[in-house]
Amino acid sequence: MMLSLLLAVGLGPAAPVARPAPGPAEVTAVSVMPGPGRAQVVIDVAGGVTVQDFTLRNPDRLVIDLVGASLAAPYVQYDGKNRGGILDVRYAQFRPDVVRVVLELERLTDYQVDYANGAVTVSLGTDRSFAAWSSGDGSWAKNLAQFAEASAAAAAPPAASAPPAQQAQSQQPPLTASWDNAPISDVIAGFAAFSGKTIIVGKSVTGTVTATVKNQPWDIAFHQILQAQALAAFEEFPGIIRVDDQAALAKLDSIEPLQTTIQRINYARAASLVPALDAIKSSRGKIVADTATNSLIITDVVSRIGNYSDFLSQLDVRTPQVSIQTRLVFVNRTELENLGIKYDLGSPTQFFNRLVQRGDPASAQPVDTDGDGVPDAVRPTEQFDADEVLVDLGGNSLSALANADAGVAGAALRLIFSTAIGNFNLTSFLEALETVELSDLQAEPVISTADNTQAYILVGERTPIRVVDVSSPTTGAAVTRATVDYQQTGILLRVTPHVTANRQVLMRLRAENSSVVAAPRDIGFTFQTQEAENQILVNDGETAVIGGLTVTQVTVSKSGIPFLVDLPILGRIFGFTSRREIRRDLLVLVTPHIVDDLPGASPPDRL
């Protein structure tokens, strides 16, 4: 029986297997049979052989060596189907007197090896059903019938048996030992002396061991110590065990020749598929992408070449197209309200001449007011200067101005009211203006792209900006150096869609609207930008709002007669009030549509 130390933790044969003495024998067929709760690999043998089994990792493999046998069955490539966790079956003449059968497994699990009635049977637990496979010329049918009888017997109520823990217990002699920072080569030599086996240590095996073993089967203890050192063992010949790291032992799985094939890729980029294919290649496999022809050059063992085509048929598929309709609404609204009143109070002998222009009495001349040709009144012919002030020092008098310098630019309403109050004239000037500016910009870009591919659309302009190098000399004949930089402005849409399995669209989207305006000072220009960035999941044809932004800026200024201008409501008639409100709105709506393939369309044949 092969040492259970070669198995992964918790794995091992269910019971010791009795095997006949070696002799001239032939392996005639290898078959995989289904059964209730298990899968069986049946190796037909004519004659007596010695059976050895061990496991390997990365990938998980179970190796069966038939010592004293030659391969009589023709090599038939496994069809690559998963039969109860068995992914691949390979067999060849490993050495002149050894036939090796390698089972590549989905994962290592408990198994049992039996040798009886001219067949070596490997049983693995499984809950799957599958169709049988065989490399033989008809003898596998006999094995299938025998296996059906065994399955029927297994369905009967089982007889009393030992507990599972006892069935899986190793039958090797127990060992009690202790090591304290001992070289691993000395520890392995101790196991060799105790077991009577020949153990050959690889050149990469180094390190020390600190462990205590109490009354444990020597093969299990040996396995645990090796596993703690990231090592494994392989009994290549009866009684000769090789200890090395797992990478070195994996190179022993070289019983198949290599084959090279070229796979033409239709839709995907060949280089992007290499990392995915690395998961299924063997340790000897190699995959190279040719960008000129968008092909993959694959070199691997013969039994694995067929797996690549099935794997690529699921990766190299036509991805759906997505048409994305976007509506971007940008609204700028500006409201301006201006209201103000000026006052002028003066008398004929004392006044300010800034709001109401008054005549100079010294320039008075007779005038005809009724048109009869006879002068009947005297009126000034010249006006005082606008900033001139007339002050009467001969008695008590009063004159006043209010809000004389205030004004409403471009006023829509100007009103003058004048009245006489005793010997005084009161004149008021009312100015009012209300303006509303509305800018409504709507853009509806439509863009189509492949699944998981970023799309980009821009409608705008490139604005030249002159950049002056202030460090350059500016004296004498030297000229200040300046360069021109171009800034991109306009409506920008950048989106990456992904179609999910249930025909929804997951989008990563960024929308932007920018414009250039003159700066209020000497810095040149400023760039006004509105943008939204989001990731959203929507149904096919569904419209979603991915961004809404409102910015409101209110500016209020007032000037007037102190105290009076601050009165509620009435204060507006004692000064000038200006109110400016700027409101900016951004709204982004997105509607994706999945563009299916045309009816009857089919991908080109793979070369």
Side-chain angles (χ1 to χ4, degrees), residues 208 280 363 421:
T208 59
I280 65 170
S363 64
I421 304 176

Side-chain angles (χ1 to χ4, degrees), residues 62-245:
L62 173 59
V63 181
I64 309 297
D65 280 347
L66 296 91
V67 182
S70 60
L71 183 61
Y75 183 79
V76 177
Q77 183 175 346
Y78 189 68
D79 58 8
K81 295 182 179 179
N82 188 335
R83 289 179 168 84
I86 301 174
L87 305 179
D88 197 3
V89 178
R90 307 189 294 273
Y91 55 93
Q93 191 76 45
F94 184 56
R95 286 195 301 271
D97 62 337
V98 177
V99 174
R100 172 169 290 183
V101 179
V102 179
L103 307 179
E104 185 172 328
L105 306 178
E106 187 175 38
R107 62 181 179 86
L108 287 177
T109 183
D110 294 338
Y111 68 90
Q112 181 176 344
V113 180
D114 295 305
Y115 179 22
N117 300 324
V120 177
T121 305
V122 182
S123 298
L124 301 95
T126 183
D127 56 355
R128 306 176 188 176
S129 59
F130 55 86
W133 175 88
S134 178
S135 66
D137 54 359
S139 60
W140 68 278
K142 176 188 70 174
N143 293 331
L144 183 59
Q146 294 175 352
F147 182 65
E149 295 177 1
S151 299
S161 59
Q166 294 182 4
Q167 292 179 0
Q169 180 65 39
S170 171
Q171 303 300 314
Q172 298 297 326
L175 170 68
T176 298
S178 179
W179 297 275
D180 183 11
N181 204 27
I184 191 171
S185 57
D186 295 345
V187 176
I188 294 175
F191 275 100
F194 181 83
S195 63
K197 300 284 187 177
T198 300
I199 304 180
I200 301 175
V201 180
K203 62 180 181 179
S204 60
V205 177
T206 58
T208 59
V209 176
T210 299
T212 300
V213 178
K214 295 183 179 180
N215 198 28
Q216 295 294 327
W218 76 265
D219 56 344
I220 294 180
F222 189 45
H223 163 68
Q224 295 296 332
I225 290 176
L226 292 181
Q227 187 182 48
Q229 301 291 325
L231 300 173
F234 169 56
E235 190 169 358
E236 188 172 7
F237 299 97
I240 302 178
I241 302 174
R242 177 176 174 179
V243 176
D244 213 329
D245 59 67

Side-chain angles (χ1 to χ4, degrees), residues 531-601:
E531 62 179 292
E533 184 172 355
N534 196 9
Q535 180 171 308
I536 189 171
L537 178 66
V538 296
N539 295 324
D540 182 19
E542 179 183 10
T543 299
V545 179
I546 70 163
L549 176 64
T550 299
V551 178
T552 302
Q553 179 182 355
V554 179
T555 304
V556 178
S557 62
K558 59 182 179 180
S559 64
I561 302 174
F563 304 109
L564 296 180
V565 75
D566 296 325
L567 293 176
I569 302 176
L570 296 178
R572 296 175 67 94
I573 67 176
F574 293 103
F576 276 76
T577 303
S578 175
R579 184 180 187 275
R580 178 185 296 271
E581 179 177 337
I582 301 176
R583 182 186 179 97
R584 297 186 179 93
D585 297 312
L586 167 64
L587 188 64
V588 182
L589 301 95
V590 178
T591 306
H593 296 278
I594 300 176
V595 181
D596 294 315
D597 295 337
L598 296 177

Side-chain angles (χ1 to χ4, degrees), residues 462-533:
R462 292 169 61 87
T463 303
I465 304 296
R466 186 173 63 177
V467 180
V468 178
D469 186 1
V470 296
S471 63
S472 61
T474 58
T475 60
V479 179
T480 303
R481 292 191 299 268
T483 59
V484 177
D485 186 19
Y486 289 90
Q487 296 291 334
Q488 190 77 59
T489 58
I491 297 174
L492 167 68
L493 176 64
R494 195 187 306 270
V495 59
T496 304
H498 168 63
V499 180
T500 63
N502 58 350
R503 292 183 63 82
Q504 290 182 307
V505 182
L506 178 65
M507 293 181 294
R508 182 182 296 275
L509 186 144
R510 180 176 182 268
E512 175 185 323
N513 176 46
S514 59
S515 59
V516 58
V517 295
R521 295 184 175 88
D522 59 351
I523 60 176
F525 300 94
T526 60
F527 295 89
Q528 296 181 349
T529 303
Q530 297 168 306
E531 62 179 292
E533 184 172 355

Side-chain angles (χ1 to χ4, degrees), residues 379-460:
R379 291 182 179 176
T381 58
E382 296 181 3
Q383 304 290 332
F384 285 104
D385 294 338
D387 294 331
E388 189 172 354
V389 179
L390 180 63
V391 180
D392 183 5
L393 299 178
N396 297 330
S397 184
L398 175 69
S399 61
L401 282 176
N403 309 318
D405 295 329
V408 175
L413 172 65
R414 287 188 170 91
L415 179 65
I416 301 177
F417 173 76
S418 180
T419 183
I421 304 176
N423 196 34
F424 298 93
N425 291 327
L426 174 64
T427 306
S428 61
F429 300 83
L430 182 144
E431 296 180 349
L433 173 66
E434 180 176 353
T435 61
V436 177
E437 298 179 2
L438 179 63
S439 174
D440 186 356
L441 172 62
Q442 298 190 17
E444 297 186 7
V446 179
I447 194 168
S448 297
T449 183
D451 187 23
N452 293 318
T453 303
Q454 185 185 86
Y456 170 86
I457 187 172
L458 172 68
V459 179

Side-chain angles (χ1 to χ4, degrees), residues 304-325:
R304 294 210 181 192
I305 288 294
N307 297 342
Y308 288 96
S309 184
D310 296 337
F311 200 72
L312 285 173
S313 65
Q314 302 179 47
L315 294 178
D316 184 27
V317 295
R318 178 182 298 174
T319 57
Q321 305 287 321
V322 181
S323 177
I324 302 172
Q325 181 178 2

